[in-house]
Amino acid sequence: MKLLFKFYGDASGQLISPKKCKFFSGSMPHNRTIKVQQCLGFGQGPLPFTYLGVPIFIGKPRTHFLQPIADKIKAKLVSWKGKLLSIMGRAQLINSFITSMLLYSFQVYAWHVSLLKTIER
């Protein structure tokens, strides 16, 4: 793997920084995890984590993993409530924002109906 990363860096010019890199092992045995850390020089990262705004975890999507996205949507709605926009302007802004934000995460996970109903309200 280390040789592969070196070839990639030589070909692309994108060097891999072991201080910034992490690996995620899932259910790998502890002794193998230690060997990977020693060989690559990467630290082990905890699950769940967020990558490009989407939570990464093992198993089915649960409400508490997707709740930060729903909270972000709610915070935007509250901030727009006081803006000097017409009703139609607000409706258009809300529809475009919520649609784009949810479609991005829908490409990765199917959301729970209860969480979608909360956002709809």
Side-chain angles (χ1 to χ4, degrees):
M1 291 274 303
K2 197 169 189 175
L3 188 60
L4 177 68
F5 291 146
K6 183 181 178 339
F7 286 147
Y8 173 79
D10 292 343
S12 68
Q14 297 175 335
L15 300 178
I16 294 174
S17 172
K19 292 178 184 176
K20 296 179 182 178
C21 292
K22 296 195 180 303
F23 73 94
F24 302 90
S25 62
S27 61
M28 188 186 303
H30 184 68
N31 59 351
R32 183 174 274 176
T33 303
I34 291 172
K35 285 181 184 179
V36 170
Q37 282 179 328
Q38 291 170 347
C39 289
L40 294 178
F42 297 174
Q44 183 178 10
L47 286 173
F49 66 98
T50 302
Y51 181 71
L52 298 176
V54 177
I56 306 297
F57 48 86
I58 296 173
K60 289 183 174 183
R62 297 204 169 100
T63 303
H64 65 277
F65 291 140
L66 301 172
Q67 190 64 48
I69 298 172
D71 292 341
K72 190 183 288 187
I73 291 171
K74 287 180 190 177
K76 284 287 186 185
L77 294 176
V78 168
S79 72
W80 291 335
K81 194 174 187 179
K83 300 280 185 192
L84 297 175
L85 293 171
S86 68
I87 298 293
M88 287 305 295
R90 262 188 243 155
Q92 183 63 38
L93 186 62
I94 289 168
N95 282 336
S96 65
F97 173 76
I98 290 176
T99 302
S100 66
M101 193 158 192
L102 289 178
L103 283 177
Y104 177 67
S105 65
F106 284 167
Q107 292 175 5
V108 180
Y109 302 115
W111 279 50
H112 289 276
V113 175
S114 62
L115 197 54
L116 291 174
K117 285 182 180 179
T118 302
I119 292 172
E120 189 176 317
R121 270 187 255 130

